[in-house]
Amino acid sequence: MAAMEIGSMAAQISAAARADSVSRRVGSKVARNGSWAPPPVSQRNLAVSVRSLRTSDCDATAQVADLASSNGVAKPETSDLIQDIKFDDVVLNPRRKTKIVCTIGPSSNTREMIWKLAEAGMNVARLNMSHGDHKSHKKVIDLVKEYNAENKEGNVIAIMLDTKGPEVRSGDLPEPLMLKEGQEFSFTINRNLISENTIGVNYDDFVNDVEVGDILLVDGGMMSLAVKSKTADTVKCEVVDGGELKSRRHLNVRGKSATLPSITDKDWEDIKFGVENKVDFYAVSFVKDAEVVHELKDFLKGCNADIHVLVKIESADAIPNLQSIISASDGAMVARGDLGAELPIEDVPMLQEEIIMRCRSMEKPVIVATNMLESMIDHPTPTRAEVSDIAIAVKEGSDAIMLSGETAHGKYPLKAVRVMHTVALRTESTMSAKTTLPVSVPSTPVQALGSGDFAPRELSKMFAFHATTMANALGTPIIVFTQTGSMAVLLSHFRPSSTIFAFTDQERIKQRLVLYQGVVPVQMEFSNDAEETFSRAIEALVNGKHIKKGDYVTLVQSGVKSIWRHESTHHIQVRKV
């Protein structure tokens, strides 16, 4: 098996100091412009970084030229130099990298539908605890786990439990009420009071939180009412935008968040249910500060529960605390429905972009959610604006995009997933490595040498960066072996053009990596012999038709926790299958 190895750290540093290496040019470009565009990679660049090149019946030049052409890059005109191998020329990944989260509900909670959703493109099954009971959600959890156990093609579905949170909702109605513009209508904390002009709410401090002049939004703005006056137990309004008011509708006050705790008593019961059933992620609703994240993580640590916490950014109070909230969490969701209800809707696109950038800079996964294909709840085709919305989220670098009512109770759940899959895949095919770079670039070897910054995490970042550079230049998928998931996460952060096949011997790590952009997790027992493990991994990918004989792959042997190597050594190899 032909192999090119990038050797020890010392070898890389001395090579970089002697020649115009990729890392040198990256550093100077960043210093000049504050941004980085990937340079063309020549044979000289590769040779600088390569410690040894083992060949059997061809010289090094021919081998590198063959490597470039076999992965969709034109062969050079001459044998002594590979000319103009550019990132834009790389054959892009035929596999969708942006993940799809599907909410499971009455339209999709059967064994048949979960199997079909998985085949259509679902990566994460979301349990919305605002609806259903523990019995119905346990059924879905068991079905997803059954699918994972039975699937022979290696497809993995993760499970996300989305807490209800401190929602303010109107009461039950025997039949919907039609509200007309200019009509007087009241909300009262007397929950059982119902008339054609009054309805109860489920929140005792509602009157205290609302002020005269506030705008109340029903279902995120489907209807709106202006507060005219209030008494000790009632808020009197005038209908601004009318419509059909149904039972248990969500209420927001424009520009304000309710003074309820982020995790309610019901949420704690649901969280305990998630611990018992070993879900993979919690999506915590209406997080306002980092304290609630620390509180939940302390609880999970006490339960010895390895479940990651994603914060839903959907309240006005969260915006000033974004940095600390995301830093405390394991990832975030841009929940645009309530975010657009509590804040001016024109701010939502900029906030979405900012949250995505913050998550990427901190190497946290981020999901864009709400209304992505809302029209497909009732119609078999999406609006063109919805298609553009998906494309924008993909281009901005979201790890995942989410379907809510479309798959939970919509008429066309499978079509909605297929549309999302197709649009994301098509959008990704137009994106070069230039448009998917991370917010920050790690220190180069020479910079790190000068600063003395050789912390394991910094070394791992640097190797993930260079592995991505090499894989992009040569058009190869990346294979990484991980027991913690950290190197796979770093590679995802740098957004390589092709797939990251993350092999792990830990089931929880496999489930967790499902959410990260571009990562395909594969569970496999590791041998004590590295070469044996490498061979088994490549054989599994060939048998699964992910790669074929004659292809080249970039193999990363690095990370904070050493596997088959000394603590101080890191390797990147390019191998022919």
Side-chain angles (χ1 to χ4, degrees):
M1 179 180 289
M4 289 186 294
E5 292 188 10
I6 293 184
S8 68
M9 188 65 209
Q12 284 218 4
I13 293 173
S14 61
R18 291 195 305 269
D20 180 25
S21 67
V22 172
S23 59
R24 268 185 174 292
R25 290 183 287 114
V26 168
S28 63
K29 186 77 172 184
V30 171
R32 288 197 305 271
N33 302 331
S35 61
W36 179 72
V41 178
S42 68
Q43 180 189 356
R44 186 167 70 96
N45 301 138
L46 288 173
V48 165
S49 300
V50 172
R51 181 178 67 180
S52 63
L53 175 63
R54 297 193 294 272
T55 64
S56 55
D57 56 358
C58 59
D59 62 24
T61 301
Q63 180 111 18
V64 174
D66 181 59
L67 170 59
S69 64
S70 71
N71 289 279
V73 183
K75 284 188 178 181
E77 293 286 336
T78 60
S79 62
D80 61 342
L81 185 66
I82 296 181
Q83 299 283 357
D84 296 328
I85 300 179
K86 297 180 180 179
F87 282 66
D88 290 341
D89 299 326
V90 172
V91 174
L92 291 170
N93 186 32
R95 177 190 297 274
R96 172 176 48 79
K97 296 192 291 180
T98 308
K99 304 305 177 71
I100 295 176
V101 181
C102 295
T103 305
I104 307 300
S107 295
S108 53
N109 62 3
T110 64
R111 186 181 190 277
E112 179 185 12
M113 280 301 299
I114 286 173
W115 260 247
K116 287 182 177 180
L117 287 171
E119 292 167 2
M122 174 175 69
N123 303 108
V124 180
R126 170 180 174 251
L127 309 176
N128 185 357
M129 305 309 287
S130 296
H131 304 282
D133 55 22
H134 285 182
K135 181 179 179 181
S136 63
H137 291 306
K138 177 67 164 60
K139 171 189 170 185
V140 172
I141 291 171
D142 290 343
L143 286 173
V144 171
K145 290 182 177 180
E146 181 185 346
Y147 173 84
N148 287 337
E150 290 187 6
N151 183 264
K152 303 302 182 184
E153 297 178 0
N155 194 29
V156 181
I157 307 299
I159 302 169
M160 176 189 296
L161 187 153
D162 194 326
T163 65
K164 182 177 182 291
E167 295 180 322
V168 181
R169 289 185 179 269
S170 61
D172 287 311
L173 289 167
E175 58 184 30
L177 294 175
M178 285 302 303
L179 304 187
K180 297 180 181 179
E181 182 180 345
Q183 175 185 342
E184 291 185 358
F185 194 83
S186 298
F187 295 94
T188 176
I189 60 174
N190 296 322
R191 303 187 184 191
N192 297 323
L193 182 58
I194 300 172
S195 72
E196 62 181 36
N197 291 312
T198 304
I199 190 172
V201 296
N202 68 342
Y203 174 38
D204 291 338
D205 274 341
F206 183 71
V207 176
N208 297 329
D209 282 359
V210 173
E211 300 295 337
V212 173
D214 284 347
I215 299 296
L216 300 182
L217 301 177
V218 180
D219 278 352
M222 294 298 103
M223 288 172 279
S224 60
L225 303 92
V227 178
K228 294 301 182 182
S229 64
K230 62 180 188 174
T231 65
D233 60 4
T234 302
V235 175
K236 297 181 179 181
C237 306
E238 179 181 318
V239 177
V240 178
D241 296 304
E244 187 178 59
L245 178 63
K246 298 179 181 179
S247 295
R248 288 179 286 175
R249 297 298 91 186
H250 192 192
L251 304 176
N252 293 94
V253 180
R254 172 74 76 187
K256 293 183 178 180
S257 300
T259 55
L260 287 162
S262 291
I263 302 181
T264 66
D265 291 342
K266 174 183 167 24
D267 294 336
W268 282 117
E269 291 303 313
D270 293 338
I271 288 166
K272 292 172 185 175
F273 168 78
V275 170
E276 293 168 3
N277 289 279
K278 296 183 179 180
V279 301
D280 302 302
F281 301 97
Y282 289 123
V284 185
S285 298
F286 298 102
V287 174
K288 300 174 187 177
D289 55 48
E291 289 305 313
V292 67
V293 183
H294 294 306
E295 181 184 6
L296 176 53
K297 285 198 164 189
D298 287 344
F299 172 79
L300 295 175
K301 186 177 180 180
C303 296
N304 197 28
D306 186 15
I307 302 173
H308 271 199
V309 176
L310 309 179
V311 290
K312 293 173 68 175
I313 307 299
E314 55 187 336
S315 67
D317 290 347
I319 304 308
N321 304 317
L322 273 180
Q323 188 71 17
S324 61
I325 290 172
I326 296 172
S327 180
S329 74
D330 299 304
M333 180 190 295
V334 189
R336 302 175 303 178
D338 286 291
L339 194 61
E342 294 197 4
L343 294 169
I345 55 174
E346 60 270 22
D347 290 347
V348 173
M350 279 70 75
L351 285 169
Q352 172 177 311
E353 184 176 15
E354 179 184 352
I355 294 164
I356 291 172
M357 289 183 65
R358 284 180 185 267
C359 287
R360 289 193 60 190
S361 70
M362 289 187 273
E363 299 151 25
K364 307 287 179 77
V366 57
I367 304 167
V368 173
T370 322
N371 302 132
M372 299 211 80
L373 288 173
E374 187 80 1
S375 69
M376 292 194 72
I377 292 176
D378 296 307
H379 303 285
T381 57
T383 67
R384 306 311 178 255
E386 289 169 337
V387 170
S388 296
D389 184 36
I390 294 171
I392 289 167
V394 172
K395 285 189 173 183
E396 288 178 343
S398 175
D399 287 84
I401 44 186
M402 193 174 97
L403 294 167
S404 300
E406 300 94 331
T407 51
H409 59 83
K411 296 178 182 177
Y412 306 98
L414 289 175
K415 286 187 176 181
V417 176
R418 291 184 187 119
V419 166
M420 189 165 266
H421 165 80
T422 303
V423 174
L425 185 61
R426 180 69 182 93
T427 303
E428 290 168 359
S429 74
T430 68
M431 298 166 64
S432 70
K434 294 176 184 177
T435 64
T436 57
L437 285 168
V439 177
S440 59
V441 175
S443 300
T444 65
V446 175
Q447 290 169 335
L449 183 63
S451 66
D453 186 4
F454 271 89
R457 186 68 176 174
E458 286 303 310
L459 282 176
S460 296
K461 283 185 182 180
M462 188 172 61
F463 271 84
F465 169 73
H466 285 300
T468 298
T469 302
M470 176 174 285
N472 283 349
L474 302 174
T476 65
I478 297 175
I479 299 176
V480 62
F481 299 87
T482 180
Q483 292 178 322
T484 65
S486 62
M487 179 51 68
V489 169
L490 283 174
L491 288 164
S492 174
H493 168 66
F494 287 108
R495 297 295 196 258
S497 294
S498 194
T499 302
I500 304 160
F501 293 103
F503 284 84
T504 181
D505 58 355
Q506 307 292 319
E507 182 179 4
R508 295 301 291 171
I509 300 301
K510 175 196 70 175
Q511 293 294 125
R512 183 169 301 152
L513 291 175
V514 168
L515 186 58
Y516 288 86
Q517 202 258 22
V519 177
V520 175
V522 184
Q523 187 174 358
M524 185 181 76
E525 291 299 318
F526 293 164
S527 166
N528 291 330
D529 182 81
E531 284 300 322
E532 180 185 340
T533 306
F534 297 167
S535 297
R536 285 169 51 202
I538 289 172
E539 182 182 2
L541 294 179
V542 171
N543 292 340
K545 299 182 179 178
H546 300 295
I547 58 176
K548 61 183 184 297
K549 291 191 175 181
D551 286 350
Y552 285 82
V553 296
T554 297
L555 190 150
V556 180
Q557 191 179 342
S558 182
V560 175
K561 186 175 180 180
S562 300
I563 306 176
W564 312 298
R565 62 183 180 82
H566 298 296
E567 288 286 345
S568 60
T569 62
H570 299 251
H571 297 279
I572 305 170
Q573 303 175 4
V574 177
R575 295 194 175 199
K576 186 175 182 179
V577 176

